[in-house]
Amino acid sequence: RGTTRASLVYHHGSENNPRVAARLDGFRQAWLESGRGEDSLNMVPIPWSRSSFAIALNLQSYLKENRAHGTYFVADGTLATNFLEVLE
């Protein structure tokens, strides 16, 4: 509500899975239909790994290189857990 910019965080490559692609596209479509501009949604592909530690390092690297703006939507539960741990 009232957010004008957001980042949608997902595992890179998962967009090749039709269910994940549909979820990402559905979110993007709902975001745009709410009147927000195309450039207001930042898609953030985070490299996948079997290691939660490696995922956390990838998230940490992304957050160090990109100014945090406070509004993130995370497309995967495990990724969300890692994201919250890195922010903590």
Side-chain angles (χ1 to χ4, degrees):
R1 299 178 188 213
T3 298
T4 58
R5 298 193 58 74
S7 294
L8 179 55
V9 183
Y10 62 97
H11 284 296
H12 176 69
S14 65
E15 69 275 15
N16 296 325
N17 177 316
R19 289 189 326 205
V20 174
R23 187 179 322 134
L24 296 174
D25 289 342
F27 183 91
R28 186 178 162 280
Q29 182 179 354
W31 180 262
L32 296 175
E33 286 176 357
S34 70
R36 296 172 176 101
E38 184 78 38
D39 64 338
S40 67
L41 181 62
N42 182 32
M43 302 298 283
V44 181
I46 299 295
W48 180 85
S49 173
R50 290 183 182 199
S51 164
S52 287
F53 183 71
I55 293 171
L57 290 176
N58 291 334
L59 286 164
Q60 186 178 49
S61 176
Y62 169 78
L63 290 170
K64 281 183 178 179
E65 295 172 10
N66 297 276
R67 191 178 126 240
H69 54 71
T71 305
Y72 293 91
F73 296 92
V74 184
D76 175 85
T78 303
L79 185 58
T81 300
N82 283 316
F83 191 82
L84 291 173
E85 288 174 355
V86 168
L87 289 177
E88 187 180 298

